[in-house]
Amino acid sequence: MALNFPIKRTTPKKIINKANLGMDLEGIINESNEYYLNNDIAVIHKKPTPVQIVKVDYPMRSKAVITEAYYKTPSTTDYNGIYRGKYIDFEAKENHNKTAFPLANIHPHQIEHLKAITKHGGIGFLIMSWSKFDEYYLVPLNLVLRYWDDAILNDGRKSIPYEAIKKEAYPIKEGYLPRLNYLKVVDEIYFKE
Amino acid sequence: MALNFPIKRTTPKKIINKANLGMDLEGIINESNEYYLNNDIAVIHKKPTPVQIVKVDYPMRSKAVITEAYYKTPSTTDYNGIYRGKYIDFEAKENHNKTAFPLANIHPHQIEHLKAITKHGGIGFLIMSWSKFDEYYLVPLNLVLRYWDDAILNDGRKSIPYEAIKKEAYPIKEGYLPRLNYLKVVDEIYFKE
């Protein structure tokens, strides 16, 4: 039927897919958070990129220009906020490999941070994208820690295999509004009755 | 007795006072948060200053240099984290006036953010310093909102008078470790039985 009305081919579905091309994990999560915020579901923000500012110019009649600055290693995770009265904290990681997620992609202090958060009663996890398969997963901290500790304490493998993610992490389906409804998965894992 | 041992004059109290000279509110809060973190009391961090990065150079054999960037208006508050299982969120404001705190020092979206936080079950407030009196206060969101709404809805006064702070906000005493034990005041206000 659509063939008779070529204009109809531009369905919302198609627009989304086109818009998604080139949108990275951060962009997709930011959009989802905006949806959550506008619909009063949760208040979750990305923290600004930490920058060490060295030189600032104040040109006359215009705003301050930072002319020398350096990227700093973040001391926490990228995202935090509140959902259903609980403190939520996570790191977003893109993975372009096919077989495993290298643990070197996570900073040790991010692991320490997530451990501290969990200890104090918060919810901590990773959101991982597997670009080769167009898949997204919520990876609970425990799963990460198992591989992390094994790598450090037992000189074990330095990555999390795709099969472990497939088997033990929670898939997040890509959708329309929000793009990545990861809080639905949070519901299932952390708020189940 | 101390007179016999001149070296003893350098009491911890004195060291603190000297060290505090020139330390701004942000520095004092950051130190306190470090204490809370190291002693496993709470996980509260300052968010990085939001910066719009325009140009980055990659000199050979050295790290990336940001050569053009601009300060952005923050969309949330400066500090957030978790304490006793609750989401905590606040903005730190220095006030160098003697009679009132100008509401213009707060961004409207910071107020909106704190309102959303409270609505979702978090704890939101301001920490205000009055440099002329060497005083610190925890100012609950409700007190701020009363003046904020009155200013906007009824074209009321555009500041919070010192007397109102003195009477209705909660003083935070400056101490040694941590410098500013604001979580003690949080206990009294938000966790009282």
Side-chain angles (χ1 to χ4, degrees):
Chain A
M1 196 182 98
L3 284 172
N4 300 323
F5 305 96
I7 194 99
K8 284 214 175 169
R9 280 189 204 158
T10 327
T11 57
K13 182 82 184 137
K14 196 149 189 186
I15 293 170
I16 304 158
N17 288 344
K18 268 170 82 180
N20 270 0
L21 283 179
M23 177 169 274
D24 58 2
L25 181 58
E26 181 180 317
I28 293 175
I29 292 175
N30 290 350
E31 273 205 16
S32 306
N33 288 342
E34 219 179 299
Y35 174 86
Y36 291 141
L37 185 66
N38 294 339
N39 291 276
D40 221 2
I41 293 164
V43 184
I44 299 168
H45 287 275
K46 186 183 180 294
K47 293 185 192 170
T49 307
V51 157
Q52 176 74 45
I53 297 166
V54 176
K55 252 187 240 161
V56 184
D57 276 0
Y58 298 90
M60 271 179 42
R61 279 188 294 270
S62 54
K63 59 182 178 177
V65 189
I66 298 159
T67 55
E68 188 187 347
Y70 299 90
Y71 292 105
K72 283 200 296 187
T73 311
S75 49
T76 64
T77 47
D78 277 350
Y79 294 89
N80 74 358
I82 185 166
Y83 174 55
R84 293 176 69 173
K86 292 281 251 177
Y87 176 92
I88 297 267
D89 198 299
F90 63 94
E91 180 69 15
K93 293 291 182 195
E94 292 193 358
N95 186 17
H96 304 296
N97 300 321
K98 275 185 164 174
T99 56
F101 172 83
L103 290 171
N105 287 354
I106 316 175
H107 296 293
H109 43 255
Q110 292 180 325
I111 294 285
E112 288 315 309
H113 175 71
L114 286 170
K115 276 164 81 172
I117 288 308
T118 305
K119 196 171 166 185
H120 285 271
I123 295 172
F125 52 86
L126 300 190
I127 292 182
M128 205 181 274
S129 72
W130 290 72
S131 59
K132 293 282 188 289
F133 310 121
D134 257 325
E135 289 174 351
Y136 301 90
Y137 292 91
L138 188 153
V139 187
L141 183 59
N142 281 347
L143 178 54
V144 181
L145 282 183
R146 215 168 68 221
Y147 284 90
W148 185 269
D149 290 344
D150 183 56
I152 289 175
L153 303 175
N154 313 322
D155 200 29
R157 63 175 293 161
K158 304 295 180 281
S159 61
I160 308 177
Y162 178 61
E163 300 85 58
I165 296 292
K166 199 87 185 151
K167 202 174 148 193
E168 297 178 64
Y170 299 83
I172 312 171
K173 281 201 200 83
E174 210 179 338
Y176 180 42
L177 280 173
R179 291 274 181 110
L180 205 60
N181 194 0
Y182 66 88
L183 289 181
K184 189 168 174 258
V185 182
V186 166
D187 281 342
E188 286 159 18
I189 306 172
Y190 302 98
F191 289 95
K192 62 175 174 228
E193 304 295 285
Chain B
M1 194 182 97
L3 285 172
N4 299 324
F5 304 97
I7 195 97
K8 284 214 173 168
R9 281 191 202 154
T10 326
T11 57
K13 182 81 183 137
K14 195 150 188 187
I15 293 169
I16 305 158
N17 289 344
K18 268 170 81 178
N20 271 359
L21 283 179
M23 178 170 273
D24 58 2
L25 181 60
E26 182 180 316
I28 292 174
I29 293 174
N30 289 350
E31 272 205 19
S32 305
N33 286 343
E34 219 179 300
Y35 175 87
Y36 291 141
L37 185 66
N38 293 340
N39 290 276
D40 221 3
I41 294 164
V43 185
I44 299 167
H45 287 275
K46 187 182 179 294
K47 293 184 191 169
T49 307
V51 157
Q52 178 72 48
I53 297 165
V54 177
K55 249 186 242 161
V56 184
D57 276 1
Y58 299 91
M60 270 181 40
R61 277 189 296 271
S62 52
K63 59 182 176 177
V65 189
I66 298 159
T67 54
E68 187 185 346
Y70 299 90
Y71 291 105
K72 285 200 295 188
T73 311
S75 51
T76 64
T77 46
D78 277 349
Y79 293 90
N80 76 356
I82 187 167
Y83 174 56
R84 292 176 69 172
K86 291 281 251 177
Y87 176 92
I88 297 266
D89 198 298
F90 63 94
E91 180 69 15
K93 292 292 181 194
E94 292 193 358
N95 186 17
H96 303 297
N97 301 322
K98 274 185 165 176
T99 56
F101 172 83
L103 289 171
N105 287 354
I106 316 175
H107 296 295
H109 42 255
Q110 292 180 325
I111 294 286
E112 288 315 310
H113 175 71
L114 285 170
K115 275 163 81 171
I117 287 309
T118 306
K119 195 171 167 186
H120 284 271
I123 294 172
F125 52 86
L126 300 189
I127 291 182
M128 204 181 272
S129 71
W130 290 72
S131 59
K132 293 283 189 289
F133 310 121
D134 258 325
E135 288 174 354
Y136 301 91
Y137 292 90
L138 188 154
V139 187
L141 183 60
N142 281 347
L143 178 53
V144 180
L145 283 182
R146 215 168 67 220
Y147 284 90
W148 185 269
D149 290 343
D150 184 55
I152 288 175
L153 303 176
N154 313 322
D155 200 29
R157 63 174 294 161
K158 304 295 181 281
S159 61
I160 308 177
Y162 178 59
E163 299 85 58
I165 296 292
K166 199 88 186 151
K167 203 174 147 193
E168 297 178 65
Y170 298 83
I172 312 171
K173 281 201 203 81
E174 211 181 337
Y176 179 42
L177 279 173
R179 291 274 180 111
L180 206 61
N181 195 359
Y182 66 88
L183 289 181
K184 190 169 173 257
V185 181
V186 166
D187 281 340
E188 287 158 16
I189 306 172
Y190 301 98
F191 288 95
K192 63 175 174 227
E193 304 293 286

